[in-house]
Amino acid sequence: MSRGARRWAVVAAAGRGERFGNRRPKQYALLRGRPLLSWSLGSLLAEPAIAAVVVALAPGDRRFARLPEASAARVRTCEGGARRELSVANALRALESEARDEDWVLVHDAARPCLRRSDLRALIEGVGDDPVGGLLAVPLGDTLKVAAADGRCDRTVPREGLWRALTPQMFRYGLLRRALALCIDRERGVTDEAAAVELLGLRPRLVRGRGDNLKVTHPEDLALAGAILGAAERR
């Protein structure tokens, strides 16, 4: 880790979670009595090496202020955008008076409540002083099928060498701002920050994480996430 480089975190929480099919935004769905966003923020705030967490919120969001984490000294907010890269870019802009190009930024999903402290430390240590940065990921265990237009299996994709991207994803502040600016300029929507960095011709490092660092996408994922958190508490 570069001497003097600080670590910041960003949580992209401006999405509507349309696939989730709930009246309230997905990040506020309750899991064991707490909104998903509360769990995700708590995981980051448990790491004292993170100087501050910027949460990108949807315009007019009135739910965030009710979270206990909203009043934490290290939590800040900004207005998010219609797409992920716009929200993260806005959050980085909110840090521009404090963050330096060589600082690190960890970007985490609002609906990924099962991040463990050990995975967070593994990412920080695994990336180290990598010139590009990296992300938590796990090797793909399932067989992948490509669907044809008629709903039948068109072909099978070999899973060798395929990894499932997780968050947080960790990159230098200056590099990530350049990558996101390029995405926005080219109108290239991305679903994670590593994809934006790849557009610069760079190859992020894969740091193996836990497969139970689940992203809640569908309502049935809540039960699984609850079971994961319950098992972690019992341990």
Side-chain angles (χ1 to χ4, degrees), residues 115-156:
L115 173 66
R116 300 200 187 199
R117 179 83 181 275
S118 58
D119 261 15
L120 189 53
R121 294 305 310 174
L123 176 65
I124 291 171
E125 294 168 9
V127 170
D129 269 326
D130 192 276
V132 177
L135 63 148
L136 287 174
V138 291
L140 199 64
D142 295 327
T143 299
L144 290 180
K145 304 291 185 181
V146 176
D150 61 358
R152 294 184 178 275
C153 179
D154 187 62
R155 66 183 186 278
T156 299

Side-chain angles (χ1 to χ4, degrees), residues 31-70:
L31 173 63
R32 295 173 65 88
R34 290 170 58 189
L36 289 174
L37 180 54
S38 175
W39 289 101
S40 300
L41 273 175
S43 299
L44 297 172
L45 292 171
E47 174 51 63
I50 293 176
V53 182
V54 182
V55 186
L57 299 171
D61 184 317
R62 297 179 181 177
R63 291 181 172 91
F64 182 76
R66 304 173 198 163
L67 302 187
E69 294 81 7

Side-chain angles (χ1 to χ4, degrees), residues 131-188:
V132 177
L135 63 148
L136 287 174
V138 291
L140 199 64
D142 295 327
T143 299
L144 290 180
K145 304 291 185 181
V146 176
D150 61 358
R152 294 184 178 275
C153 179
D154 187 62
R155 66 183 186 278
T156 299
V157 179
R159 67 187 178 199
E160 288 76 22
L162 296 180
W163 289 58
R164 181 163 56 92
L166 311 175
T167 69
Q169 303 191 2
M170 178 174 166
F171 298 100
R172 300 279 188 186
Y173 176 81
L175 184 148
L176 186 54
R177 288 199 77 175
R178 293 196 303 274
L180 294 173
L182 181 62
C183 289
I184 294 168
D185 183 63
R186 293 185 178 178
E187 297 184 344
R188 289 281 298 272

